[in-house]
């Protein structure tokens, strides 16, 4: 005799969930006990907060492409899941959220009965409440299928009495083989029309987005035939190696200057799975012809009225079908322009990273020195704030490396849970998280307890580095205010309480290093990346170093440091 919890655990494993992140509670205990990490069930990883559990499930899905899963009790636990679930929904990641409640307690039922479903429904592509044991197997199957097919969050709210009940006989506990979402073949006439538009373009830019990750080779093929530039969205930052001479970095309002320059100058734009592109970057319809290739019409970043050739279907097959229809351009002037812009942008980045003011550490140099020493197959996680600016500008990823971030939501503090999930999902890869001090205080400090809990397990694995950029300020917010005001002197901006992060980590039992001098940055990175297991490295950096987007001449003294 097995109970429902044991069968649910087996179902989740059959659907590809390798672990379930969550918080304990009386209502979740039956399922938590069933998640013992055996060969046929996922492992349960206890987190400090429900938000971290959802973020870890999202990061697992992003890194592996498999189903992420999180677990929480109803009531406040449901509410605390929501920020991480909104992160997964915004970035289109397959996550199943399980919420358990005790419907047997009338006062509890009156207080939040039904609310869990209502709260989850707004963020979910599928949400169902289970009140009888015979409903559970089908609910889990449909939730997993919906999450993987629609690339979103699926919620299941289940009564504790269901989890402890004896499983009905004849349950189907397995997934339907190696499940793959149904193929979406492109329409041939739309592909032909798109190829004609691209053939007529003289200055083409390809924007490769998250839904086009599998089409990186085909996108490079289009760029080679048409002499085009390629830029990526933030979520697709790692799909191509940064040493390509025509790769112009991340396209975003606060992204690569090279990408913005080329987007302004292009006359033809190919959006390849660029559902995560900020529409503000799109050129005016009368200046540029646009081709958009997306898995489904709803994924297209263009407004319904925007004139464009729209190809609906899986991106890689659509571009593969398009390639034989394209002519190789004979005019190399645009490609020369592209490579010149990219080369100058990268050279300027190296120059700015090598500048220091007095004894302060230039935060640009922290990321540039890391980039020069990144081990093969490293996973680099970044947070919101100026850590994201330096990640965009100075990180150079080689083939086989991965990057992770909360893109659409830009959730402060997401990097530490992301990095912890990356360590569990990819134990053979080095993992580095770039975190500002404000974001580290937003959630990273608490999740050091999760790292400490698993320290023995993690100690012999490749390095798990939490790099804290300590400038005592919510620096991106400060620079946004300063740039908007046209005056760098704002009396009160976004101070962060001073904390000794390296000492804090040591008190938590996690090794730590602190660096305050520019001349030590390179050697600190060399030493840290040679270690095994978790380590916190705190760089005390200069908050007066302006990001590229803020490094404009402003009125009044003092002049900005545009290192």
């Amino acid at each position: 005799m097995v109970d429902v919890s044991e069968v649910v655990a087996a179902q989740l494993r059959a659907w590809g969930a390798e672990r379930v992140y969550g918080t304990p509670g009386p209502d979740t205990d039956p399922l938590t006990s069933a998640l013992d990490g055996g060969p046929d069930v996922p492992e349960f990883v206890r987190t400090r907060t429900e938000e971290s559990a959802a973020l870890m499930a999202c990061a697992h899905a992003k890194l592996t492409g498999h189903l992420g899963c999180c677990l929480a009790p109803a009531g406040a636990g449901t509410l605390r899941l929501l920020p991480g679930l909104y992160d997964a929904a915004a970035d289109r990641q397959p996550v199943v959220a399980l919420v358990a409640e005790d419907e047997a307690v009338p006062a509890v039922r009156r207080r939040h009965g039904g609310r869990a479903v209502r709260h989850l429904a707004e963020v979910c592509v599928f949400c169902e409440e289970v009140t009888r044991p015979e409903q559970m197997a089908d609910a889990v199957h449909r939730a997993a299928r919906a999450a993987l097919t629609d690339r979103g969050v699926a919620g299941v709210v289940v009564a504790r009495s269901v989890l402890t009940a004896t499983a009905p006989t004849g349950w189907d506990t397995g997934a339907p083989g190696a499940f793959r979402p149904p193929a979406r073949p492109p329409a041939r006439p739309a592909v032909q029309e798109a190829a004609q538009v691209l053939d007529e373009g003289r200055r083409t830019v390809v924007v490769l987005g998250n839904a086009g990750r599998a089409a990186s080779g085909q996108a490079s093929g289009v760029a080679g035939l048409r002499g085009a530039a390629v830029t990526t969205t933030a979520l697709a930052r790692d799909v191509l190696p940064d040493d390509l001479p025509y790769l112009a970095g991340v396209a975003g309002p606060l992204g690569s200057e090279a990408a913005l320059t080329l987007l302004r100058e292009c006359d033809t734009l190919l959006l390849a799975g660029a559902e995560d592109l900020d529409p503000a970057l799109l050129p005016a319809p009368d200046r540029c012809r646009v081709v958009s290739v997306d898995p489904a019409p709803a994924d297209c970043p263009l407004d319904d009225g925007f004139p464009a050739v729209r190809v609906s279907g899986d991106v890689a097959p659509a571009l593969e079908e398009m390639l034989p229809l394209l002519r190789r351009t004979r005019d190399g002037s645009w490609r020369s322009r592209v490579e010149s812009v990219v080369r100058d942008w990268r050279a300027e980045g190296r120059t700015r990273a090598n500048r220091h003011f007095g004894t302060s550490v230039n935060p640009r140099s922290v990321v540039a020195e890391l980039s020069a020493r990144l081990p093969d197959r490293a996973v680099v996680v970044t947070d919101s704030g100026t850590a994201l600016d330096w990640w965009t500008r100075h990180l150079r990823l080689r083939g086989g490396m991965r990057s992770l971030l909360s893109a659409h939501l830009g959730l402060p503090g997401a990097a530490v849970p992301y990095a912890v999930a990356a360590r569990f999902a990819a134990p053979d890869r080095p993992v580095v998280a770039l975190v500002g001090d404000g974001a580290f205080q937003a959630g990273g400090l608490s999740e050091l307890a999760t790292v400490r809990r698993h320290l023995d397990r993690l100690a012999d694995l490749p390095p798990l580095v939490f790099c804290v950029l300590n400038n005592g300020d919510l620096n991106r917010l400060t620079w946004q205010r300063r740039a908007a005001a046209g005056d760098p002197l704002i009396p009160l901006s976004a101070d962060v309480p001073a904390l000794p992060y390296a000492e804090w980590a040591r008190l938590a039992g996690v090794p730590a290093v602190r660096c305050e001098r520019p001349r030590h940055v390179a050697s600190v990175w060399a030493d840290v990346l040679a270690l095994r297991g978790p380590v916190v490295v705190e760089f005390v950096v200069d908050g007066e170093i302006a990001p590229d987007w803020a490094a404009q001449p402003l009125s009044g003294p003092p002049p900005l440091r545009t290192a």
Side-chain angles (χ1 to χ4, degrees):
M1 300 289 288
V2 296
D3 60 29
V4 170
S5 289
E6 293 173 285
V7 177
V8 169
Q11 279 185 286
L12 293 173
R13 189 68 186 91
W15 278 98
E18 297 171 346
R19 53 194 55 82
V20 176
Y21 297 96
T23 55
D27 299 336
T28 62
D29 281 348
L31 187 52
T32 301
S33 299
L35 298 168
D36 60 6
D40 299 322
V41 296
E43 172 192 14
F44 178 73
V45 177
R46 178 179 174 180
T47 63
R48 302 308 303 167
T49 67
E50 291 85 355
E51 178 181 325
S52 290
L55 287 170
M56 291 181 190
C58 177
H60 177 92
K62 286 180 176 178
L63 185 61
T64 67
H66 299 158
L67 193 68
C69 193
C70 55
L71 172 66
T78 308
L79 296 176
R80 291 171 182 151
L81 277 178
L82 290 178
L85 296 183
Y86 271 104
D87 180 53
D91 289 348
R92 303 293 303 276
Q93 298 303 315
V95 170
V96 169
L98 298 169
V99 173
E101 62 180 3
D102 186 356
E103 83 295 350
V105 182
V108 174
R109 187 68 176 170
R110 286 195 301 270
R111 188 164 61 247
H112 60 74
R115 292 182 183 175
V117 173
R118 293 200 296 274
H119 290 314
L120 290 174
E122 291 202 8
V123 72
C124 289
V125 297
F126 169 93
C127 187
E128 185 165 315
E129 185 173 19
V130 178
T131 57
R132 299 196 305 273
E134 59 270 20
Q135 298 173 329
M136 191 64 193
D138 184 58
V140 172
H141 278 314
R142 289 191 291 127
R145 185 180 291 108
L148 290 166
T149 302
D150 297 333
R151 293 187 300 132
V153 177
V156 177
V157 180
V158 55
R160 186 181 191 277
S161 61
V162 171
L163 294 175
T164 57
T166 300
T169 58
W171 260 17
D172 176 16
T173 60
F179 176 80
R180 294 289 182 272
R184 301 179 176 94
R188 179 72 177 180
V191 172
Q192 292 173 331
E193 185 181 0
Q196 182 178 349
V197 170
L198 293 176
D199 268 344
E200 294 170 357
R202 298 175 56 198
R203 302 184 302 278
T204 301
V205 171
V206 179
V207 180
L208 190 57
N210 189 51
R213 295 186 68 91
S216 59
Q218 291 84 353
S220 295
V222 172
L225 287 171
R226 300 305 304 158
V230 176
T231 182
T232 71
T233 61
L235 281 173
R237 170 78 166 81
D238 54 3
V239 295
L240 291 169
D242 280 318
D243 58 1
L244 295 176
Y246 54 84
L247 184 61
V250 174
L254 306 181
S256 155
E257 289 178 310
L260 291 175
T261 297
L262 296 171
L263 285 170
R264 284 195 298 265
E265 297 179 5
C266 73
D267 64 10
T268 308
L269 187 60
L270 170 60
L271 306 178
E275 62 184 9
D276 46 327
L277 179 69
D278 190 324
L281 297 176
L282 294 171
D286 60 351
R287 190 179 61 77
C288 181
R289 301 181 72 184
V290 178
V291 173
S292 181
V293 184
D294 302 282
D299 298 328
C300 181
L302 305 173
D303 293 334
D304 289 340
F306 195 100
V309 176
R310 301 168 191 250
V311 181
S312 293
D314 294 326
V315 180
L319 295 187
E320 190 69 39
E321 191 173 328
M322 195 181 301
L323 281 170
L325 305 178
L326 296 175
R327 297 193 307 269
R328 184 176 295 277
T329 183
R330 295 182 179 180
D331 183 0
S333 58
W334 175 242
R335 173 54 70 88
S336 296
R337 167 65 175 160
V338 167
E339 293 185 3
S340 174
V341 168
V342 171
R343 185 168 54 249
D344 291 347
W345 173 66
R346 289 175 176 165
E348 182 186 26
R350 289 191 294 270
T351 299
R352 291 184 175 188
N354 288 329
R355 292 176 184 164
H356 295 274
F357 297 89
T359 60
S360 298
V361 173
N362 180 349
R364 296 176 182 268
S365 73
V366 173
V367 180
E369 294 289 356
L370 164 66
S371 187
R373 293 164 177 79
L374 270 178
D376 291 341
R377 303 182 68 248
V379 179
V380 184
V381 185
T382 191
D383 218 295
S384 56
T386 48
L388 175 59
D389 297 316
W390 316 136
W391 169 91
T392 300
R393 183 63 157 101
H394 298 286
L395 185 68
R396 299 286 298 275
L397 295 175
R398 304 190 300 276
M401 294 181 175
R402 293 296 309 273
S403 65
L404 297 175
L405 80 161
S406 170
H408 276 93
L409 201 59
L411 191 64
V416 172
Y418 267 38
V420 173
R423 162 51 66 241
F424 285 117
D428 59 331
R429 287 176 176 258
V431 178
V432 180
L434 301 172
V435 195
D437 48 358
F440 199 60
Q441 290 187 20
L445 288 171
S446 64
E447 287 308 323
L448 283 183
T450 302
V451 176
R452 179 66 183 87
R453 174 185 289 271
H454 297 278
L455 197 59
D456 291 343
R457 171 182 177 180
L458 304 178
D460 293 329
L461 298 178
L464 169 60
V465 183
F466 302 98
C467 170
V468 184
L469 301 172
N470 181 2
N471 53 31
D473 186 52
L474 299 177
N475 209 229
R476 176 177 273 203
L477 180 59
T478 291
W479 281 109
Q480 286 174 329
R481 289 171 173 168
R482 292 168 73 165
D487 184 353
L489 297 176
I490 296 179
L492 178 63
S493 182
D495 293 345
V496 172
L499 288 178
Y501 300 100
E503 291 182 27
W504 191 296
R506 293 188 195 105
L507 286 173
V510 179
V513 179
R514 178 182 168 98
C515 178
E516 303 179 33
R517 295 288 182 265
R519 66 178 182 275
H520 295 155
V521 172
S523 61
V524 165
W525 272 127
D527 292 343
V528 164
L529 293 172
L531 297 174
R532 307 286 289 182
V535 60
V536 171
V537 54
E538 175 188 357
F539 288 98
V540 182
V541 299
D542 188 350
E544 290 297 311
I545 303 294
D548 289 355
W549 51 266
Q552 304 297 328
L554 301 180
S555 59
L560 300 186
R561 299 180 182 178
T562 58

